[in-house]
Amino acid sequence: MRIPAHTVVTAIRDDIVSGVFGPGGRLTEEVLARRYGVSRVPVREALRTLESEGFVTTRRHAGACVAEPTEQEAADLLELRMLLEPLAAARAARRRSEAHLKVLRGLVRLGQERARRGQGEDLRSLGGWFHETLSQASGSPGLIALLTQMRHKVAWMYVVEAPARPVESWAEHGAIVDAVARGDAERARALTAVHVDRAAGAHRMRVRTLQPAVNTASVPH
């Protein structure tokens, strides 16, 4: 496949998150360049970016490899997310636009409807869009970037089960939006903290040490 050079970071990250490149697997510039249809220069730059994000590590005599997160690193990631999501909600209550509110309310209506009907197949993606929009509404570029990176890493490190009580989960989403719409930053923060803490129970760490490392030389180009 061929992709624009500026999207190489996204392409490699997506392949790491989805398991195409397993933990500890070598990431060879030449092989990656052929796989994505680009020169080695954007691949080299992408690997540096992914190393700064924690997805890639450089080993002596081996070069770039997919990182191998520990259980402690995974636990720390969830803890950090539980601190930052409420902060984003509080800032969204102060800075959100009408466009943000429109999207958030639309997602809540759709999520609540599908939860009531038991149509759970789309609820995970709807929940992701909800939290992404909420962070965008914070108006804090640094915070948005951190939360986006964390969501990628959570998807990489964890299997996320569907909420046991989706109707209640989407009711919580609705309450958060109401607080944001009223400009009540402290209530938005508190409701989001409770919601994210409950949702953390649906995260089960992937048993990555049992997955075979994938050498990119065997990946079709």
Side-chain angles (χ1 to χ4, degrees):
M1 67 176 176
R2 284 188 172 273
I3 63 171
H6 70 274
T7 64
V8 175
V9 171
T10 300
I12 299 176
R13 186 196 297 114
D14 286 348
D15 279 343
I16 291 173
V17 170
S18 66
V20 172
F21 303 144
R26 290 187 62 195
L27 297 169
T28 309
E29 288 180 12
E30 182 180 358
V31 173
L32 291 174
R34 287 202 304 269
R35 174 173 173 77
Y36 303 118
V38 296
S39 72
R40 294 175 63 171
V41 174
V43 169
R44 189 176 307 124
E45 294 173 354
L47 291 175
R48 283 199 292 265
T49 297
L50 292 169
E51 184 169 18
S52 71
E53 293 180 356
F55 289 96
V56 170
T57 186
T58 301
R59 295 178 179 171
R60 189 176 182 182
H61 306 308
C65 300
V66 179
E68 299 176 84
T70 65
E71 289 189 14
Q72 185 59 58
E73 288 170 338
D76 287 347
L77 177 67
L78 277 190
E79 187 173 355
L80 285 171
R81 187 177 176 186
M82 286 189 283
L83 292 172
L84 294 180
E85 291 274 7
L87 174 61
R91 291 191 175 180
R94 302 186 187 102
R95 305 176 181 176
R96 88 293 184 280
S97 67
E98 288 302 316
H100 289 130
L101 283 179
K102 183 177 181 180
V103 173
L104 288 168
R105 284 170 171 155
L107 289 169
V108 168
R109 282 195 298 271
L110 188 57
Q112 290 178 339
E113 177 185 338
R114 295 196 176 179
R116 283 194 300 269
R117 293 182 178 181
Q119 298 174 322
E121 61 274 8
D122 294 331
L123 289 180
R124 186 177 303 169
S125 59
L126 286 173
W129 292 338
F130 175 86
H131 287 283
E132 178 68 24
T133 304
L134 188 63
S135 67
Q136 291 287 336
S138 73
S140 300
L143 183 57
I144 294 167
L146 278 173
L147 284 169
T148 299
Q149 182 179 324
M150 283 188 176
R151 289 188 192 99
H152 289 309
K153 295 181 91 170
V154 167
W156 177 38
M157 296 183 190
Y158 288 93
V159 174
V160 183
E161 308 292 348
R165 298 176 178 175
V167 173
E168 292 183 11
S169 178
W170 279 94
E172 291 173 359
H173 285 154
I176 292 168
V177 174
D178 288 343
V180 169
R182 291 196 304 270
D184 190 338
E186 289 312 308
R187 181 162 176 75
R189 183 197 301 271
L191 289 172
T192 303
V194 171
H195 174 73
V196 175
D197 183 59
R198 287 179 181 169
H203 291 68
R204 176 170 53 83
M205 187 175 177
R206 297 181 189 274
V207 187
R208 293 193 166 272
T209 55
L210 299 182
Q211 297 179 357
V214 178
N215 190 308
T216 55
S218 64
V219 176
H221 310 311

